[in-house]
Amino acid sequence: MIGGIVMILVALWIYQSAMRAKTSNVMMWVAIGAVVFFVVQLGFIDVNLYILEAVRGGEGGSDYERDLTSIGDRKNEGGFQGFGGVLLSLYLELMPSIVGVLAAALIRVKFITKEPITVGNLFGDIKEMFQSIKQSFKTSSEK
């Protein structure tokens, strides 16, 4: 759910940046950015599954098989107790989206805006994106 919302925001961010940079094939770059975000996020989710299995691997024997239909609360099981468990849960939930945004930001800076890669350039235009979203919710009498 978080990844889907972030993907929409990334697509909007790339679209607005491409329009400001007057790039040709704007929709192609939006699609490339969204696909890169999605692929990187899926890759990190797969890495997170290996981490989860390593943490919980001691619970089963040689016939242990991960139950793919069990989606219950895992925070109270395995290695998820205490402060370290909270940090591990936060990592497993947020890192795929964060790395996906970084990958899309690199595509945006390198190929769309063609600026040098700096922290300011990587995350530029995010404030403007949220301001335009805010403006879109205002009625014509409020503007």
Side-chain angles (χ1 to χ4, degrees), residues 8-129:
I8 291 169
L9 291 173
V10 164
L12 181 61
W13 179 41
I14 291 174
Y15 174 78
Q16 288 182 344
S17 296
M19 292 300 285
R20 282 195 183 107
K22 295 180 174 57
T23 306
S24 61
N25 298 328
V26 172
M27 295 311 280
M28 179 191 73
W29 285 112
V30 170
I32 288 171
V35 167
V36 165
F37 175 88
F38 186 71
V39 168
V40 169
Q41 184 178 16
L42 279 180
F44 260 79
I45 289 171
D46 200 33
V47 167
N48 286 347
L49 285 175
Y50 288 119
I51 292 170
L52 183 64
E53 289 298 317
V55 169
R56 294 180 46 129
E59 294 178 12
S62 61
D63 58 342
Y64 172 74
E65 187 173 323
R66 185 176 72 206
D67 184 12
L68 297 176
T69 61
S70 173
I71 56 172
D73 184 19
R74 296 183 180 133
K75 291 181 182 178
N76 296 327
E77 299 176 12
F80 292 100
Q81 288 90 16
F83 184 69
V86 169
L87 290 179
L88 182 61
S89 294
L90 284 173
Y91 169 81
L92 292 173
E93 184 68 32
L94 298 177
M95 192 52 71
S97 294
I98 291 171
V99 175
V101 167
L102 286 174
L106 284 172
I107 296 288
R108 181 187 152 275
V109 168
K110 191 71 176 160
F111 299 109
I112 296 172
T113 62
K114 296 181 175 104
E115 299 171 332
I117 298 175
T118 64
V119 175
N121 290 341
L122 279 176
F123 301 107
D125 292 340
I126 289 181
K127 179 180 177 183
E128 290 82 4
M129 177 193 65

